[in-house]
Amino acid sequence: MTSQDDLFHPVIELPEPTRRARYDRLVGLDDTKLRLRKESALLADPHRLQAWAAAYHGGEVAALTLFADRAPLFIFGGDVGSGKSALAESFGCDLADFLELPVYLYRLKLATRGSGLVGEMTSLIGDAFTHMHMMGKRVSGSRGARAVQILLVDEADALVQSRGAQQMHHEDRAGVDAFLAGIDSLAGARLPVVVVLCTNRLAALDPAIMRRAAATFTFSRPSDEQRYAVLSQALDGLGIRPETVRKVVELTGPNGDQPGYTFSDLTQRLVPAAVFRAFPDRSVTDEDLLALAEELEPTPVFTERR
């Protein structure tokens, strides 16, 4: 069996300060965060659903049978810079707090695609799921989970692209089959394991993967309200006037054929650029932000290729 180091990046125990801060900075996604907390808690520790039914409905509830065979799979799809990868890497901090359990983040290496040798990709993917099964069983018990494992697959379209694509190599098709088998092996196993696929190309994923997902979260560019929330948080302490923030919100929105700013455009380009413009000789001014909002171009919309 392939070693853990060959399959995954270093495993991270959550909550962890850097990722907790990243989770907290993802403002404007409250509805998504709440749904993700509930969905992941039920998949990771089904005993809690039974306890809820006993507490509020007196015991057996027919609807609970509908949850029994759900695949512990989430799909995060959306444009570049929309916050999906940041949320995928950090929501485990919130889950750890909610469940009062440690959460371990496994990030699959794209090297699991292998070098193209026949059977290699299938074997690597199978080993990754075997490892998650093993770790899940270690922390499972009759009274519920003692920890939760999250398996994150970023750029998932590189691994589970639709088998209907004409240019798809046989080995890639076999890899998708292996991934489906891995997901199916977790469905109904009642292990504290959650798999998250992130992609910029939602339409490129294999339909069988899409059908198995317990939930698909679609991420878009921030609305006016979301941009205002992001900017208000990021600019706190700089003395920027509220009317200036509102003007920047207007300037960073969609304009004709030009898309609006992404979350990362605001937090990794616009605000840092204002700080760099002022550092080290003066304070950041309202004019800095307004000028930069006029000058900077938003990240182009990612165009899907089938």
Side-chain angles (χ1 to χ4, degrees):
M1 180 174 169
T2 311
S3 72
Q4 176 177 310
D5 291 342
D6 291 331
L7 295 169
F8 310 106
H9 296 284
V11 179
I12 300 168
E13 182 176 351
L14 305 175
E16 181 260 351
T18 299
R19 281 168 177 77
R20 187 190 293 279
R22 185 180 301 172
Y23 180 84
D24 291 340
R25 286 197 300 269
L26 291 170
V27 298
L29 296 175
D30 292 349
D31 290 344
T32 298
K33 286 181 174 182
L34 179 58
R35 183 186 171 200
L36 184 56
R37 174 196 294 171
K38 290 184 178 183
E39 292 270 9
S40 54
L42 294 184
L43 288 170
D45 195 359
H47 292 84
R48 292 178 184 254
L49 190 59
Q50 295 168 343
W52 165 83
Y56 293 98
H57 295 282
E60 293 299 322
V61 175
L64 298 195
T65 61
L66 303 177
F67 290 83
D69 296 323
R70 294 172 87 214
L73 172 65
F74 297 139
I75 296 175
F76 287 14
D79 207 353
V80 175
S82 57
K84 59 186 182 299
S85 293
L87 183 59
E89 286 204 359
S90 63
F91 82 91
C93 294
D94 177 69
L95 183 63
D97 292 342
F98 181 68
L99 296 179
E100 298 182 329
L101 294 172
V103 173
Y104 295 94
L105 177 64
Y106 290 78
R107 296 163 297 160
L108 191 69
K109 289 182 176 179
L110 282 184
T112 49
R113 286 177 56 83
S115 59
L117 297 175
V118 174
E120 183 182 18
M121 185 174 174
T122 301
S123 177
L124 288 168
I125 293 172
D127 286 347
F129 276 100
T130 297
H131 185 85
M132 298 310 296
H133 263 274
M134 179 178 67
M135 299 308 296
K137 288 179 179 178
R138 277 187 191 175
V139 296
S140 296
S142 58
R143 296 184 179 180
R146 298 187 298 276
V148 177
Q149 328 289 331
I150 295 175
L151 172 60
L152 172 60
V153 184
D154 212 349
E155 299 182 30
D157 49 276
L159 195 64
V160 288
Q161 183 180 359
S162 174
R163 289 166 295 179
Q166 293 184 353
Q167 74 278 13
M168 197 174 195
H169 190 272
H170 171 75
E171 182 67 6
D172 293 327
R173 294 175 192 270
V176 177
D177 290 339
F179 197 93
L180 287 168
I183 291 296
D184 289 343
S185 71
L186 289 173
R190 300 175 69 83
L191 296 175
V193 176
V194 176
V195 182
V196 181
L197 304 183
C198 286
T199 180
N200 300 327
R201 304 173 59 212
L202 194 59
L205 297 188
D206 193 90
I209 295 288
M210 299 293 294
R211 287 195 301 271
R212 282 166 172 76
T216 297
F217 296 87
T218 303
F219 295 76
S220 57
R221 298 193 179 217
S223 64
D224 290 355
E225 293 78 10
Q226 289 172 319
R227 291 198 306 283
Y228 186 84
V230 169
L231 288 167
S232 296
Q233 183 186 73
L235 297 171
D236 185 43
L238 293 178
I240 304 301
R241 296 191 302 270
E243 56 267 32
T244 298
V245 178
R246 287 192 288 271
K247 181 61 177 177
V248 173
V249 168
E250 179 184 333
L251 291 171
T252 55
N255 182 15
D257 294 335
Q258 180 171 281
Y261 277 43
T262 67
F263 282 103
S264 61
D265 286 337
L266 298 172
T267 60
Q268 297 178 24
R269 297 177 61 217
L270 177 64
V271 175
V275 172
F276 285 130
R277 178 174 284 201
F279 177 85
D281 302 313
R282 59 177 178 82
S283 61
V284 176
T285 67
D286 295 59
E287 289 70 28
D288 288 327
L289 284 163
L290 293 169
L292 286 165
E294 295 269 16
E295 293 170 13
L296 295 176
E297 296 285 336
T299 300
V301 174
F302 187 91
T303 303
E304 291 202 25
R305 299 180 301 278
R306 296 301 300 268

